[in-house]
Amino acid sequence: MKNTLYPLLLTLLAIPASHASQVEVQHWWTSGGEARAVEVLKSTWKGEGHQWQDFAVQGGGGKSAMTVLKSRALAANPPQAAHLKGVELREWAGLGFLRDLGPMADHFGWYQAMPPVVRQTLSPTGSLVAVPTGIHRVNWLWINRRRLAETGLPAPTDWASFIQVAERLKQQGVIPLAIGNEPWQLAILFEAVALGEGGRDFYRKALLELDPAVLTGPDMVRVLQRFQQLRSYVPLSFVSLKWNQATTLIETGGAAMQIMGDWTKGELTAADYRPGEDILCLPTPGSQGIFSYNIDSIAMFKVRDPLQMQAQSELAELIMRPDVQARFNQAKGSIPALAKVDMKGFDRCAIRSQRDFTQAEKEGNLLPSVAEGMVLATPLQQALMDVLANFFNDPNADAATTAARLGRVMRSAKG
């Protein structure tokens, strides 16, 4: 046992085992499937005699939650635990706000239990600063099976066939693509087009490495043109549509398709739809073999109170239990963030996702989601989303001009 564990163990030994721990958890998991997933953690925690103080901040994408968290941190009153991921996790760790969970990881063997990409993502400073709750696949295409059958066309596997299906649906008076106008939703759609129309290497060079020549080059112009083409297939209520409302549209058949991460599946199961049966799940057009990911996690903020430290440790241990990971991700729509969790009881989309994750990991086809905040620093991500949203909403926007603008804006935000 490492010496770094001694202070933690001495603290825990000094606290009576019968003590009921209390923990405050900030998150933005408020939609139907998300709330069910939180309830798994909450009910398990409370079932062991502890108290859970829920601090949920509404708003898809977590922008509002991050604003609240920053104000609380500046007031020296952060929650004990908070949902953080990707770049936000790295930024908070770099500022020194997060507790080092490395000693616990060493003691309980957590590093060995996590896939390498999870371990690396949650250890931005070299040691574990958060525990993972699940792995989301972002590049999913969801299709209402009945609506697709009515077109007489097969499910699209590339963007050209997607347009064919969309045109047929539009002629029949069915909304082809359910999506809202929030910048993060549009960024997910653009990311899907970049993967399928541009390809893996384009995605890496343009959006991960920010290569100026690729950001402004002919491939980017082509990707933007395809992205712009999709504007004619969205709902009339597009401007005000939340992502889970878009999911409701494909559930009811009011729309036929949605491009969104597998948290969509949490909404489907909450509404008693069967992912993979009533609603088909396929990789987004042209992205077969690629797994665009988002890793959700709970970070523990530094505290001095031994009782609060104990509560954090107990919560981290609870989240890392395989049975809790299974139940949480069945509700959330994601797959477990531990390497060996029994997938019995998961739907066919989750089983496919687990299989595709493993294969993509072997073949070097795991790609962090730019839209979901796994790559770019906050100013860069915001600059990208602003350019994309303005372009998508302007019917007169020119793709070549926008590509040039994208290059300038990203250089400015980076620099």
Side-chain angles (χ1 to χ4, degrees), residues 58-86:
Q58 291 189 346
K63 185 176 180 180
S64 297
M66 287 303 99
T67 300
V68 172
L69 186 58
K70 288 173 184 176
S71 66
R72 289 194 59 174
L74 288 173
N77 181 37
Q80 290 163 265
H83 171 210
L84 292 174
K85 62 180 182 178

Side-chain angles (χ1 to χ4, degrees), residues 183-393:
W184 72 271
Q185 291 192 61
L186 297 179
I188 284 178
L189 180 60
F190 173 80
E191 183 175 294
V193 178
L195 283 171
E197 191 77 21
R200 182 189 63 182
D201 291 342
F202 166 82
Y203 182 91
R204 282 184 172 143
K205 290 177 181 177
L207 302 180
L208 306 188
E209 300 170 13
L210 301 181
D211 184 319
V214 180
L215 272 174
T216 60
D219 286 339
M220 177 60 78
V221 173
R222 179 166 51 85
V223 167
L224 285 169
Q225 287 171 337
R226 181 69 81 185
F227 177 58
Q228 187 180 46
Q229 187 179 18
L230 300 176
R231 180 66 177 83
S232 63
Y233 302 117
V234 304
L236 292 176
S237 59
F238 159 76
V239 172
S240 60
L241 205 64
K242 304 299 183 185
W243 74 268
N244 52 317
Q245 294 171 327
T247 301
T248 299
L249 277 177
I250 63 166
E251 288 172 351
T252 61
M257 298 182 285
Q258 182 181 18
I259 288 175
M260 186 56 63
D262 52 17
W263 47 90
T264 292
K265 191 153 57 66
E267 298 302 293
L268 297 176
T269 54
D272 294 327
Y273 286 85
R274 297 169 298 175
E277 299 179 49
D278 304 311
I279 307 296
L280 301 177
C281 52
L282 299 167
T284 52
S287 70
Q288 292 78 3
I290 296 172
F291 193 107
S292 173
Y293 67 84
N294 162 34
I295 300 170
D296 275 331
S297 58
I298 297 291
M300 310 298 169
F301 277 71
K302 288 181 178 178
V303 294
R304 295 182 179 180
D305 185 340
L307 292 176
Q308 290 189 349
M309 286 188 65
Q310 182 195 27
Q312 289 177 329
S313 300
E314 291 170 341
L315 178 61
E317 188 274 328
L318 181 146
I319 291 170
M320 292 297 288
R321 296 178 197 169
D323 66 308
V324 173
Q325 287 266 329
R327 290 185 289 117
F328 178 89
N329 287 287
Q330 284 170 358
K332 186 76 158 52
S334 42
I335 58 175
L338 304 184
K340 295 181 180 180
V341 174
D342 188 356
M343 295 297 288
K344 183 179 180 180
F346 280 82
D347 60 73
R348 63 179 63 183
C349 296
I351 292 171
R352 174 171 184 168
S353 186
Q354 178 67 40
R355 184 186 68 233
D356 288 356
F357 174 85
T358 302
Q359 190 65 29
E361 186 177 39
K362 290 178 182 177
E363 298 177 354
N365 284 333
L366 287 179
L367 294 174
S369 170
V370 174
E372 282 297 292
M374 298 300 296
V375 182
L376 301 179
T378 302
L380 287 169
Q381 183 187 21
Q382 189 60 54
L384 174 67
M385 291 196 299
D386 287 347
V387 171
L388 294 176
N390 289 334
F391 174 72
F392 195 77
N393 282 283

